[in-house]
Amino acid sequence: MIIRNVEEYKLIRQEMINLKDCITKYIGYVFAGSGAMIYGLAKVNNSTSPLSSAQPNVILSPFPAEVTFIAASFSMLVSLVLLMLFYKFNSHNRFAGFCKLLNHERHELLTGQPPEQKCVTSEKDKEPPLFSWEITVGDLRWLESKPNYLGNIMKEISISEPTKRTLRERVEERIEINGKRPAIDSYKSMRGLSIIIKTILLRNTQTDSWGFPPLVVCIFLFIVAGFLGASVSMVLQIGFLNNPVLFSYVIAIFVLQLCLWWHISGKLFSLMNGSSTVYSFYWKFIPLRALFLNKQNPKIKPGYISIEEYIFSDSTKNAKGETKAQ
C-alpha cells in the first residue's frame, strides 16, 4: 500500500467496524422485539374470554381482531427493517470496495518516472496523506445518476493499469445506462431467490461479497413468515363476513409482502454477486479516484493490480486451455 493512503485506509476501516456494530445491534433489536411481540400477543389472546358476556350464546373467535392486525403489521415492520439493513450492507460494501482500491493502488508521476524517493529526515519532509473518500463517493453518486458522462471521464483520466477499454467495460456493466439495469444484475430477483433457497438448505453459495447477508435474510424470512402466516390463519378463521376490513387489510399485507420480498431477493443478489458487491464498487471507484489523483500536485498517474481479475479473466482461462491442449 502507498504510504500516503495509510491514514485514509485506517479511517475507512474504522467506519466499517462501526457499521458492522450498528448492523449487529439492529438485528438484536429485531430478535428482542420479535420475542416480546410473541409474548404480548399470547397474553392478549389468552386474556380474551371465549364467551361474550353480552351475548352468552355467541362464541367469539379465539383469535381477536387486534391480535391479527398487530401480527400482520409487525411482519411488515420486520421487512422494512431488513430493507434498512440492506442500506447498511450496501454502505459496508462501498467502504470495503474503497479499501480494496487503496490496497491495490500504485503511483507514478505523469511524466512516466516513479515518484522521487527522498530521505525523510523530519516530519516536514513527509508527504501529506491523501484523503479523497468524500469527494470520490460524491462523484460516484453523480456518475450513477448521469452515466452518460462516463465516456468524458475516461477521456480525461491517465492510468497505467488496467487499460481504459477494460476499465470502461467493467464500469459499464455495473451501472445503469439509459434506464437499463446493470448487465451484471440481469435476472437478479430470481438469482437472489436461489441464494435464499440454497442458504435455507445449508448449501454453499459462491458470492463476491461477505457471507453475512444471506444468513440474516433467512432469519428475517422465518420471522416474517411466522407472523404473517399466523395473521392469515387467524383472519381466515374469523371469516370475511365477520370482519371484511380486517380481512382486506391482511390480504393486502400478504400481497405487499410477496412484492417486497421479490424486491428484497433482487437487492440481495446485487449485494452478493451484482452491482453492489465489494468488487463492483472497487471498479466503479477507479476512474473517479484516478481523476482525483491526476489533478494533484505533482500530478499522479495511478495503477491498480487486481489478482481476481487476473485469475478469473477470460484471457487467462483461454491461455490455460491452450496450454492444456498443447
Side-chain angles (χ1 to χ4, degrees), residues 250-273:
V250 173
I251 296 303
I253 291 293
F254 180 79
V255 174
L256 187 59
Q257 286 279 22
L258 291 178
C259 298
L260 186 59
W261 275 86
W262 183 253
H263 173 72
I264 287 173
S265 298
K267 294 287 290 183
L268 175 64
F269 178 80
S270 294
L271 288 169
M272 304 308 298
N273 296 96

Side-chain angles (χ1 to χ4, degrees), residues 144-149 172 175-182:
E144 290 177 333
S145 64
K146 300 181 183 294
N148 292 330
Y149 285 87
E172 284 182 339
I175 61 174
E176 182 177 311
I177 299 179
N178 297 327
K180 297 181 180 179
R181 68 176 54 179

Side-chain angles (χ1 to χ4, degrees), residues 184-228:
I184 200 172
D185 282 345
S186 59
Y187 304 103
K188 63 178 183 178
S189 294
M190 286 293 296
R191 297 160 80 180
L193 186 60
S194 69
I195 292 177
I196 295 176
I197 294 174
K198 288 180 180 179
T199 305
I200 293 175
L201 298 177
L202 302 179
R203 295 180 58 186
N204 294 328
T205 56
Q206 293 184 351
T207 66
D208 296 331
S209 186
W210 59 330
F212 195 31
L215 297 174
V216 174
V217 170
C218 290
I219 294 172
F220 273 67
L221 177 59
F222 286 128
I223 295 174
V224 170
F227 281 98
L228 184 60

